Amino acid sequence: MVRRHELTDAQWRKIKPLLPGNGRPGGQWADHRRVINGVLFRARTGVPRPDLPERYGPGQTVYERHRRWSADGTWKALLQELQLEADAGNPDGALARQVSRQEWAVTIDSTSCRAHQHAAGAPRKPPADHPQKGAERVRAEGREALGRSRGGLTGKVHLLSDDRARPLHWLTSPGQRGDSPMFAPVLDGLRIRRRGPGRPRSRPDRVRGDKAYSSRDNRAYLRQRGIKATIAQPDDQRAHRKKRGRSGGRPPAFDRARYRRRNAVERCVNKWKQFRAVATRYDKRNYIFNGTLTVTAVVIWLRDTVQEPSETP
């Protein structure tokens, strides 16, 4: 019997071939489906791992599997495979059909995640299998991507979404980090793999964003890469340009009809935050929190791409 928050039979058949196989004798994995369902139950409800229902097995096993797959990129590989099939025109996907029918547009935005008290107090020394270490990690994400903002101890997720409200790529940062400085790093990390030879798809035709991303540097970055911009301009920038007269230049192009589709990223955030472990961060380590974001993104993609068999009377 499939319970709430668990993988359906069709979804399990989709990801089962993509999971790592058993290792040498004596080092066999516990049942993948049971453990993944435990990870999803914890992500959806936010329950502490020791309090997981017994049907998912020991809570420590669920935690270690999630931690290991967050570190070695297994969750990320699952998400990339789902995106690859959609881009290749698989009947279960829609990204390739969307690209062939019209321009490939992505939308950028950020959302804050309040950190629970359980997320604080991570040791300064990272674990042995941490994907990033030392000064490079601290410079990239801050202290485990947690910081003080008006909301207290928070982290921020900067994400790109497609028009079907599915997460494509994201970066985490401390809660006080601004949106505009993260614009170029988020777009630079966009990689949609292709089926067969060829480089990953990394340059969308258009980027939509709200007023927080309106800056000369961001617009120059998009022009340099040949990407069209649909970014609202705040009133102070508009007034400053008019005050300068002819030296202020022409106003940037802005299409209100295209800008209305920016709500796709907001709907994506709403889907994501249905998982309580995303709306409130419980993970001390940022790479484990990114693993939680990834496995929940996998569920969003599965719900959108996997067709469930219809019930026959």
Side-chain angles (χ1 to χ4, degrees):
M1 181 181 66
V2 177
R3 295 179 172 86
R4 292 185 62 196
H5 322 313
E6 295 182 357
L7 295 173
T8 65
D9 292 338
Q11 292 172 349
W12 171 244
R13 288 193 297 268
K14 183 78 170 181
I15 68 171
K16 182 180 179 180
L18 310 176
L19 298 174
N22 282 320
R24 61 185 184 278
Q28 303 295 308
W29 293 98
D31 181 63
H32 280 327
R33 185 172 186 178
R34 183 182 68 176
V35 174
I36 292 175
N37 284 334
V39 173
L40 295 180
F41 183 89
R42 181 258 173 185
R44 182 63 177 83
T45 62
V47 64
R49 291 187 179 92
D51 298 334
L52 283 172
E54 294 182 358
R55 62 178 178 269
Y56 300 121
Q60 185 65 21
T61 300
V62 175
Y63 167 74
E64 285 296 332
R65 186 78 54 87
H66 178 54
R67 184 194 64 80
R68 182 177 300 181
W69 285 2
S70 299
D72 64 14
T74 300
W75 294 132
K76 186 176 181 180
L78 279 176
L79 178 61
Q80 289 176 342
E81 184 65 24
L82 293 175
Q83 293 174 344
L84 183 151
E85 291 190 5
D87 187 60
N90 187 285
D92 291 338
L95 181 56
R97 295 200 301 273
Q98 171 187 341
V99 173
S100 62
R101 185 173 61 249
Q102 59 187 9
E103 66 179 7
W104 181 29
V106 299
T107 310
I108 188 170
D109 204 353
S110 70
T111 182
S112 295
C113 301
R114 182 69 181 269
H116 193 268
Q117 60 184 358
H118 293 168
R124 289 186 176 273
K125 183 178 180 181
D129 59 353
H130 197 292
Q132 285 182 309
K133 297 182 181 179
E136 179 184 355
R137 176 181 62 83
V138 175
R139 188 164 54 248
E141 65 187 34
R143 175 70 172 142
E144 298 297 344
L146 289 174
R148 294 286 176 180
S149 64
R150 292 183 179 181
L153 189 64
T154 58
K156 187 176 281 189
V157 181
H158 308 263
L159 73 147
L160 288 172
S161 165
D162 66 2
D163 284 347
R164 296 177 68 103
R166 301 176 297 190
L168 296 174
H169 176 66
W170 64 87
L171 291 176
T172 53
S173 73
Q176 75 275 15
R177 184 73 56 83
D179 292 349
S180 185
M182 297 295 293
F183 182 80
V186 174
L187 281 171
D188 286 340
L190 179 62
R191 295 288 187 276
I192 304 298
R193 293 168 49 203
R194 300 175 188 265
R195 180 74 70 188
R199 291 180 294 179
R201 191 187 303 276
S202 61
R203 190 180 67 177
D205 299 316
R206 182 178 299 275
V207 173
R208 309 186 192 96
D210 59 18
K211 297 179 181 179
Y213 300 99
S214 178
S215 71
R216 288 187 176 182
D217 290 343
N218 290 341
R219 295 182 187 275
Y221 167 83
L222 294 177
R223 285 195 300 269
Q224 183 180 7
R225 295 191 59 189
I227 302 174
K228 299 177 183 178
T230 302
I231 301 177
Q233 190 178 31
D235 293 339
D236 59 341
Q237 291 183 9
R238 189 179 296 109
H240 180 66
R241 177 181 53 79
K242 291 181 178 179
K243 184 178 180 180
R244 295 180 63 189
R246 297 180 63 180
S247 61
R250 292 179 297 180
F254 181 70
D255 190 326
R256 291 184 178 274
R258 286 191 170 96
Y259 186 73
R260 292 192 185 100
R261 305 196 67 177
R262 195 188 65 83
N263 64 24
V265 70
E266 297 175 353
R267 290 186 282 117
C268 178
V269 170
N270 289 338
K271 291 180 181 179
W272 231 346
K273 289 199 169 182
Q274 293 297 314
F275 297 90
R276 294 191 177 186
V278 174
T280 302
R281 173 175 166 174
Y282 300 98
D283 301 304
K284 293 181 184 293
R285 296 292 185 186
N286 183 47
Y287 79 97
I288 300 180
F289 180 58
N290 268 284
T292 302
L293 292 172
T294 307
V295 70
T296 51
V298 166
V299 174
I300 293 174
W301 276 81
L302 284 173
R303 290 174 178 173
D304 186 82
T305 59
V306 175
Q307 299 293 331
E308 298 293 339
S310 57
E311 296 183 358
T312 56

